[in-house]
Amino acid sequence: MKKLRGLVTGAGAVICILMLAGISAEAQQAQRRVGGKPDFNGIWQAMNSASWNIEDHQGEMGVPPGLSVVEGGAVPYRPEALAKKQENYANRATADPTEANCYLPGVPRITYMPFPFKITHTPTAIALSYEWTHALRPVVMDGSPHPETPEENWMGISRGRWEGDTLVVDVRNFNDQTWFDHAGNHHSEQLRVTERYTMTGPDSIQYEATIEDPKVFTRPWKMSMPLYRRKEPNIRLLEYECAYYLQERIYKDAPFF
Amino acid sequence: MRSKLFRVGITAVLVITAVAFVSTAAFAQARPAAYTPAKTPDGQPKITDGIWNRRGVGGLDGGALEAEAQRPNNPLDPTARNPVSVSARPDGLNNTDRGFLDQFSEKLGLGAEDPDRPAPLPGQRQLMGIAEPGRILPWKPEANAARQDFLLKTNPAKGLKYLEMDARCMQPGLFFGNGPFQFLQTDKQVTILSEYQHFTRHINMDGRPHLPKTFKMFMGDSIGKWEGNTLVVDTTNFNGITSYSREIPYLSEATRTTERFTLTDANTIDYEVTIDDPTQFTRPWKVTGQYTKANDLPELLEYACWEGSITMRNILGDPPSK
């Protein structure tokens, strides 16, 4: 009898534990850790219109309106750089390296393109894979310095480190070819971006990017936005092959000899 | 008497079959059993972290680690030094596969060894390419005829569709791009990053089904599972416009591949892919090779191909206007 009571109590405890486990699945997701750090694995996406314009902008045909994601509202350009921005804006339909030419969008623009991206997070490595033209950023986490490369990179070279539970990615070795948005906001090859990814819940990351480029801006400045987990159970990255679609259009009647 | 003999015969057949089966199984398992990989926290065999390179898993026209001198000639190179060049072969391209492959692939024991090729390291799998007798693909006659017709229009390209995908900076389709690669494992996916064309392979391990047929993708849709030390990857939903090499214009949308990545030691993955494209071939065929840990490569660097590329303009001319 005693034995049976013990068995019943034990079974009850097990059921309770199982129920708790079920109830707190979401909480557990938040607590899941990889190599002692918050688990960033998943498919994420910004939900804003910064890709069209990182500053305040009203709606236009095909352009969703949006408030500035720039801290303080405006990008602190040097005067000659502001003139360049205005020229870019006027020519954006053909001059935007990303929208018009399908070139890699650079950082941080790739983060807020209106497409999902995947973070792969293991105890030793992190990789950012984007649906937009399968852009890829391996984030080296071994504490090594940025390599001395003569090459300038569209997506920069990324070195990650942890500050507590925040993933900090220091991105350098950029070229001067990418824009921050379709509105012509730009930078030089002296660009340095420091990204900070902080989980603020099981399904959200607060993203910050500090932009330094003494040739173009009067001071470092920052943009920030939340990133949201794509929670559809069947979510996955598909293919958006911008260059392929562009080639099919402009070379349709080739050869042109 | 007759029935007894019959029984003896049956028994013998059964015994022989059983022995054959057991020894085959033992043989098949012999190599993987020799290596016990570390396990991931959720119990999967662990692929060693870091960067890997490909050996021998080339298309018909290349290999990542092949020395320059061992690289094959470009089949579209019309000069005399390239005897199997499409352009130099007005005779109808017969035997292209064999002649071309013999320039760079190691033998399957079917012909003379290439004396210039370094011997494999001890215990290393022979580098191969197409693992078919004579390395001749089992073309359906009509597909082979279409291919030959197609190839004759590729140099110079008679239009956009005759331009190889590599020149268009597209993803390679089959997993044959030049390395290096980085393998990342989580509980739900094996993710492979490629420096070449900066593509990511997302191999779903969570039991989800393939995408609906509506989705046709350059790299297809991959589902993986572990069989012992072997990661088996089933890929469908190809888009029908990627190729195996310059000599095989396109693999159709019906293509299905089965890849087997077998961990044979901490620094080696034996690789085998079975390519099943029933619209073009009479049966599936295989390509085999190996991935080896590239300890001298610390990271993948940027491979920006389309950005500023003038290849298409050089081949097809300047588009009238964008």
Side-chain angles (χ1 to χ4, degrees):
Chain A
M1 192 62 190
K2 217 173 189 179
K3 221 175 188 176
L4 186 66
R5 195 181 300 147
L7 207 66
V8 168
T9 312
V14 167
I15 287 166
C16 281
I17 289 165
L18 287 175
M19 280 172 69
L20 275 171
I23 289 163
S24 63
E26 199 145 282
Q28 281 180 343
Q29 175 70 28
Q31 289 160 8
R32 271 189 58 147
R33 294 181 87 82
V34 174
K37 299 298 175 184
D39 179 1
F40 281 83
N41 278 301
I43 295 182
W44 304 88
Q45 191 168 341
M47 194 151 59
N48 59 37
S49 59
S51 173
W52 285 271
N53 193 335
I54 55 176
E55 297 179 298
D56 289 336
H57 60 282
Q58 302 208 78
E60 290 171 46
M61 179 68 85
V63 179
L67 292 162
S68 178
V69 296
V70 179
E71 208 169 77
V75 177
Y77 281 107
R78 291 181 177 282
E80 64 280 11
L82 182 59
K84 169 78 173 143
K85 189 257 166 176
Q86 284 156 354
E87 184 193 332
N88 288 347
Y89 183 80
N91 298 327
R92 65 192 184 283
T94 54
D96 182 347
T98 297
E99 283 294 316
N101 296 287
C102 299
Y103 297 162
L104 288 166
V107 180
R109 188 175 182 181
I110 189 66
T111 312
Y112 46 78
M113 293 292 285
F115 294 83
F117 69 97
K118 183 177 97 170
I119 301 181
T120 307
H121 178 188
T122 77
T124 52
I126 287 180
L128 307 168
S129 302
Y130 303 85
E131 184 169 85
W132 193 90
T133 306
H134 59 273
L136 171 61
R137 295 174 57 202
V139 180
V140 174
M141 299 293 292
D142 64 2
S144 62
H146 289 75
E148 294 287 330
T149 57
E151 294 87 7
E152 294 171 345
N153 296 272
W154 293 78
M155 302 299 289
I157 291 182
S158 295
R159 286 288 179 278
R161 65 177 190 273
W162 294 99
E163 286 182 5
D165 281 349
T166 295
L167 170 65
V168 182
V169 185
D170 181 354
V171 200
R172 304 185 202 178
N173 308 67
F174 285 102
N175 66 23
D176 62 355
Q177 298 291 306
T178 63
W179 289 5
F180 293 126
D181 55 23
H182 187 55
N185 283 301
H186 67 106
H187 60 85
S188 79
E189 74 292 341
Q190 291 184 20
L191 174 68
R192 182 172 161 184
V193 180
T194 307
E195 300 174 285
R196 301 174 65 85
Y197 297 81
T198 308
M199 291 201 81
T200 49
D203 301 317
S204 58
I205 293 172
Q206 184 62 19
Y207 176 79
E208 274 183 20
T210 302
I211 313 293
E212 293 170 83
D213 185 343
K215 205 165 149 184
V216 174
F217 309 114
T218 57
R219 57 174 170 80
W221 54 280
K222 201 196 279 186
M223 64 174 93
S224 63
M225 63 194 68
L227 304 172
Y228 300 93
R229 186 188 295 279
R230 291 287 301 264
K231 293 184 71 174
E232 299 93 320
N234 60 349
I235 187 68
R236 64 180 104 192
L237 295 191
L238 300 170
E239 287 182 349
Y240 180 81
E241 298 304 312
C242 187
Y244 179 79
Y245 312 140
L246 183 68
Q247 291 166 7
E248 289 292 310
R249 178 153 58 85
I250 65 181
Y251 288 101
K252 182 163 59 79
D253 301 320
F256 302 113
F257 295 114
Chain B
M1 185 65 188
R2 196 174 164 193
S3 100
K4 193 180 173 189
L5 198 63
F6 182 71
R7 260 203 318 271
V8 169
I10 285 288
T11 309
V13 166
L14 284 175
V15 166
I16 288 166
T17 308
V19 166
F21 180 77
V22 167
S23 52
T24 305
F27 179 74
Q29 284 168 8
R31 214 161 36 150
Y35 172 58
T36 307
K39 293 281 195 278
T40 61
D42 60 305
Q44 298 177 51
K46 179 152 174 55
I47 302 170
T48 309
D49 287 338
I51 311 295
W52 292 74
N53 253 321
R54 180 191 77 182
R55 306 188 75 223
V57 197
L60 289 167
D61 53 350
L65 286 189
E66 309 302 333
E68 195 60 38
Q70 291 171 333
R71 284 205 177 141
N73 295 322
N74 182 335
L76 305 182
D77 172 4
T79 59
R81 78 176 182 85
N82 186 354
V84 294
S85 157
V86 173
S87 300
R89 293 172 57 92
D91 56 68
L93 302 149
N94 53 319
N95 220 11
T96 300
D97 293 331
R98 184 207 300 272
F100 190 40
L101 281 155
D102 278 356
Q103 294 180 67
F104 73 100
S105 291
E106 278 182 322
K107 310 297 175 193
L108 273 168
L110 298 166
E113 289 291 333
D114 177 353
D116 296 330
R117 176 169 286 279
L121 300 172
Q124 203 168 54
R125 186 176 192 163
Q126 286 278 312
L127 301 186
M128 299 187 212
I130 295 174
E132 294 295 319
R135 292 196 174 76
I136 297 172
L137 299 181
W139 288 100
K140 286 186 172 174
E142 62 277 18
N144 199 26
R147 170 184 80 115
Q148 293 180 8
D149 178 58
F150 186 100
L151 288 173
L152 291 169
K153 293 177 178 152
T154 56
N155 187 27
K158 299 233 181 325
L160 186 55
K161 76 167 183 166
Y162 298 105
L163 194 57
E164 59 182 303
M165 286 293 148
D166 182 66
R168 296 178 63 172
C169 301
M170 292 298 120
Q171 299 174 98
L174 300 186
F175 188 39
F176 296 148
N178 294 319
F181 303 98
Q182 184 174 0
F183 287 74
L184 296 144
Q185 265 178 294
T186 65
D187 55 345
K188 296 192 180 73
Q189 281 191 329
V190 173
T191 301
I192 308 174
L193 316 178
S194 165
E195 184 168 285
Y196 172 72
Q197 304 297 9
H198 57 77
F199 64 83
T200 302
R201 290 196 61 189
H202 311 279
I203 300 167
N204 290 305
M205 307 288 285
D206 60 359
R208 68 176 67 192
H210 278 301
L211 282 168
K213 285 197 164 63
T214 313
F215 293 94
K216 301 176 186 356
M217 313 212 287
F218 279 89
M219 298 308 292
D221 178 51
S222 293
I223 288 173
K225 62 171 193 264
W226 285 99
E227 289 179 2
N229 288 353
T230 301
L231 173 64
V232 182
V233 182
D234 172 43
T235 306
T236 60
N237 298 76
F238 285 105
N239 64 7
I241 57 174
T242 57
S243 64
Y244 172 64
S245 82
R246 292 176 171 92
E247 298 283 319
I248 304 171
Y250 294 124
L251 291 166
S252 82
E253 289 173 2
T255 300
R256 177 174 212 130
T257 65
T258 308
E259 296 165 283
R260 298 177 64 86
F261 298 81
T262 302
L263 312 182
T264 56
D265 63 54
N267 296 312
T268 313
I269 299 172
D270 271 1
Y271 180 74
E272 176 187 292
V273 54
T274 302
I275 296 157
D276 186 7
D277 180 0
T279 66
Q280 297 201 81
F281 303 102
T282 58
R283 58 180 167 78
W285 45 277
K286 283 183 187 181
V287 174
T288 63
Q290 202 171 56
Y291 289 87
T292 50
K293 186 82 184 4
N295 292 316
D296 55 336
L297 290 173
E299 66 185 299
L300 303 184
L301 294 173
E302 181 170 271
Y303 188 102
C305 176
W306 170 241
E307 289 70 18
S309 170
I310 55 168
T311 307
M312 290 186 70
R313 264 179 21 220
N314 284 344
I315 296 172
L316 297 173
D318 279 318
S321 66
K322 264 192 218 162

